[in-house]
């Protein structure tokens, strides 16, 4: 069986699924991605990749609401133009698995009519009841609402371009229109719980030269980008109280100055600097360590040495980092938002607090840092939650194979 995985940043979320399928007998796996986007990715062994040229910028004459859709159409066209050359050389996949959020899957069935297409559908925007307008610090006006509503044009055409699909969590699936949900399964990308596991001997030397070990009083926060969508501002506002109450606590913050979601800060500013400046004169700055992004193994060590780990998010896509923190045996203190509440039950496998209450977060963190033994059972239960529901080898990969089995695998 010949399978084509399509993702601008291949392998992206398909890393584990594509690698596992490539090890199956009689499977031929190919990847497709954007040449520029893939420059910094780690390739998968034994999987040939077809790179299509990176798109030029959208013209200024495009209506602002339609710019994303215009880019999606041009990306979809770029992909099929690239794949047509390979089709002439014999490429004829039986199955195409695509992340269609950038338009990648729009026209694939037109050039490969014999192939079935499965889409990974991460998010359908809502103008009420989810991320949009959730944070009163960043109010939305009608122009914002209309623009966000228009973003779903790409998702809707993608839904019509796929034979089947899946979402990583049930809450993300629930965001899609009801008449599409019956076509969408729920399959998480999966966690390698054997690798992502507690380690009482873990230690790490950070980029600033400081070394930290498991057993020390360490508070951690991880986000791909340090931004409001992941509650960075709430976390920073909790720090003065935490650091005052816990004079030996060290804080490790992992993430870049980029913005992955939501609005950009004013030119020349970063959210990290904005919210650090807000509290800089209230804290001992030497105890707050910003690492930037870390190599994966170093990032895991940060989780393994954590005494308490903070995770916040708008009602939005659930981060891998929260599940990996739980799998590492962290005590996770998280925002009580729907995507989190699908996994964490307050007092059973973690602690939940209202997103916009940094004082409550501070109180929870102080208690957790003060009495680590009191939360040992929560940490154990957190790991067991991930092992029993999100382990790649025993849960997620079998579910994924079952999804594609309907297409005669």
């Amino acid at each position: 069986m010949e399978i084509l995985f399509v993702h601008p940043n291949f392998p992206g979320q398909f890393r584990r699924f594509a690698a596992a399928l490539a090890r199956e007998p009689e499977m031929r796996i190919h990847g497709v991605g954007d040449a520029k986007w893939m420059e910094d990715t780690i390739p998968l062994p034994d999987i040939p990749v077809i790179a299509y040229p990176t798109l030029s910028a959208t013209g200024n004459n495009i209506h602002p609401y339609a710019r994303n859709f215009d880019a999606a159409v041009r990306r979809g066209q770029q992909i099929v133009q690239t794949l047509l050359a390979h089709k002439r050389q014999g490429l004829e996949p039986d199955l195409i698995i695509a992340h269609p959020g950038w338009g990648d899957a729009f026209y694939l069935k037109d050039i490969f009519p014999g192939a079935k297409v499965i889409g990974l559908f991460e998010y359908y925007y809502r103008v009420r009841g989810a991320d949009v307008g959730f944070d009163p610090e960043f109010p939305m006006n009608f122009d914002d609402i209309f623009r966000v509503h228009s973003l779903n044009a790409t998702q809707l055409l993608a839904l019509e371009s796929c034979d089947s699909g899946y979402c990583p969590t049930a809450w993300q699936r629930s965001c899609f229109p009801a008449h599409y949900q019956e076509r969408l399964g729920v399959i998480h990308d999966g966690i390698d719980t054997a690798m992502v596991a507690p380690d009482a001997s873990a230690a790490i030397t950070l980029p600033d030269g400081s070394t930290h070990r498991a057993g020390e009083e360490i508070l951690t926060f991880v986000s791909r980008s340090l931004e409001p969508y992941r509650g960075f501002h709430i976390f920073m506002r909790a720090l003065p109280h935490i650091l005052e109450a816990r004079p030996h606590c060290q804080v490790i913050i992992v993430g870049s100055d980029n913005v992955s979601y939501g609005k950009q800060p004013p030119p020349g500013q970063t959210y990290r600097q904005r919210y650090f400046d807000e509290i800089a004169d209230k804290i001992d700055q030497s105890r707050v360590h910003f690492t930037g992004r870390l190599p994966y193994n170093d990032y895991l060590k940060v989780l393994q040495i954590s005494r308490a780990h903070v995770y916040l998010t708008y009602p939005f896509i659930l981060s891998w980092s929260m599940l990996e923190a739980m799998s590492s045996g962290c005590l996770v203190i998280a925002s009580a938002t729907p995507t989190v509440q699908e996994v964490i039950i307050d007092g059973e496998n973690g602690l939940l607090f209202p997103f916009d209450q940094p004082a409550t977060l501070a109180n929870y963190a102080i208690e957790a840092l003060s009495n680590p033994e009191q939360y040992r059972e929560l940490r154990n239960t957190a790991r067991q939650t991930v092992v029993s529901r999100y382990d790649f080898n025993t849960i997620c990969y079998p579910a994924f194979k079952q999804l594609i089995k309907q297409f005669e695998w």
Side-chain angles (χ1 to χ4, degrees):
M1 185 177 195
E2 192 162 29
I3 301 179
L4 206 61
F5 279 93
V6 183
H7 191 299
N9 197 31
F10 181 83
Q13 291 95 322
F14 299 135
R15 174 169 293 277
R16 293 193 180 97
F17 288 140
L21 285 175
R23 294 190 292 267
E24 299 279 358
E26 300 182 2
M27 282 287 176
R28 299 187 307 281
I29 309 299
H30 304 270
V32 179
D34 184 305
K36 182 69 174 178
W37 286 31
M38 293 190 296
E39 282 182 353
D40 297 327
T41 62
I42 300 173
L44 294 174
D46 303 321
I47 297 182
V49 178
I50 300 169
Y52 58 83
T54 301
L55 296 172
S56 58
T58 301
N60 292 328
N61 59 333
I62 303 297
H63 192 287
Y65 298 169
R67 283 177 183 163
N68 285 80
F69 185 71
D70 175 78
V73 169
R74 291 187 296 116
R75 183 178 295 277
Q77 183 182 42
Q78 186 77 277
I79 288 172
V80 297
Q81 288 175 345
T82 300
L83 291 179
L84 278 171
H86 290 267
K87 180 181 175 72
R88 287 191 286 269
Q89 297 174 14
L91 178 65
E92 201 66 50
D94 302 294
L95 180 63
I96 300 171
I97 302 170
H99 190 312
W102 295 273
D104 300 61
F106 280 178
Y107 314 119
L108 295 175
K109 286 183 68 66
D110 296 304
I111 64 168
F112 297 118
K116 298 297 184 180
V117 180
I118 297 175
L120 163 58
F121 290 92
E122 282 198 287
Y123 199 61
Y124 190 90
Y125 289 94
R126 292 179 173 182
V127 296
R128 294 175 182 82
D131 58 317
V132 177
F134 170 77
D135 190 341
E137 191 163 333
F138 298 90
M140 303 289 285
N141 57 38
F142 277 121
D143 189 63
D144 293 323
I145 290 172
F146 300 156
R147 176 183 53 79
V148 169
H149 188 73
S150 300
L151 290 175
N152 285 327
T154 300
Q155 292 291 337
L156 289 168
L157 184 54
L159 284 161
E160 292 298 327
S161 302
C162 295
D163 296 290
S164 183
Y166 68 98
C167 303
T169 69
W171 183 81
Q172 287 167 247
R173 177 179 179 268
S174 74
C175 292
F176 284 82
H179 55 281
Y180 284 111
Q181 290 181 30
E182 62 184 25
R183 294 172 49 191
L184 300 173
V186 176
I187 304 173
H188 194 268
D189 310 317
I191 304 298
D192 183 348
T193 61
M195 173 186 289
V196 185
D199 182 358
S201 65
I204 184 172
T205 298
L206 299 178
D208 64 7
S210 61
T211 299
H212 307 272
R213 296 175 173 81
E216 297 175 0
E217 188 173 336
I218 298 170
L219 179 69
T220 56
F221 179 91
V222 172
S223 180
R224 179 172 60 177
S225 302
L226 303 178
E227 58 187 331
Y229 252 68
R230 297 309 191 191
F232 177 66
H233 53 319
I234 304 298
F235 175 72
M236 292 300 285
R237 289 166 184 165
L239 284 186
H241 188 192
I242 296 170
L243 291 172
E244 180 182 13
R246 304 301 303 168
H248 300 293
C249 173
Q250 299 287 320
V251 181
I252 300 177
I253 301 173
V254 180
S256 78
D257 287 347
N258 298 331
V259 175
S260 298
Y261 310 109
K263 294 181 178 180
Q264 296 282 342
Q269 296 185 20
T270 67
Y271 285 120
R272 178 181 65 82
Q273 195 62 53
R274 175 193 290 186
Y275 296 115
F276 183 77
D277 289 347
E278 189 179 299
I279 65 166
D281 61 349
K282 304 174 185 176
I283 62 171
D284 176 357
Q285 298 180 24
S286 68
R287 292 195 281 141
V288 180
H289 309 272
F290 289 95
T291 70
R293 291 189 184 176
L294 293 174
Y296 188 71
N297 286 338
D298 288 344
Y299 149 73
L300 289 184
K301 289 177 184 176
V302 169
L303 298 179
Q304 289 166 336
I305 67 173
S306 175
R307 181 174 293 185
H309 178 78
V310 176
Y311 177 76
L312 297 103
T313 183
Y314 289 5
F316 194 58
I317 298 167
L318 184 67
S319 305
W320 287 346
S321 67
M322 191 191 86
L323 295 178
E324 289 179 325
M326 296 172 70
S327 186
S328 299
C330 289
L331 171 63
V332 177
I333 306 171
S335 57
T337 40
T339 187
V340 172
Q341 291 170 305
E342 184 173 332
V343 182
I344 294 181
I345 299 174
D346 186 35
E348 292 190 16
N349 57 359
L351 300 174
L352 300 180
F353 69 96
F355 178 93
D356 59 352
Q357 294 185 12
T360 304
L361 166 58
N363 290 335
Y364 276 28
I366 291 166
E367 177 62 24
L369 294 166
S370 304
N371 302 293
E373 288 303 312
Q374 180 179 331
Y375 297 96
R376 181 177 296 277
E377 188 58 34
L378 264 68
R379 297 164 71 107
N380 293 339
T381 305
R383 173 165 169 77
Q384 186 55 42
T385 297
V386 178
V387 170
S388 63
R389 293 174 56 185
Y390 301 100
D391 178 71
F392 178 79
N393 288 315
T394 61
I395 305 297
C396 299
Y397 185 49
F400 190 74
K401 288 196 292 185
Q402 187 65 32
L403 172 67
I404 66 177
K405 187 177 180 180
Q406 64 183 301
F407 300 115
E408 299 182 356
W409 177 48

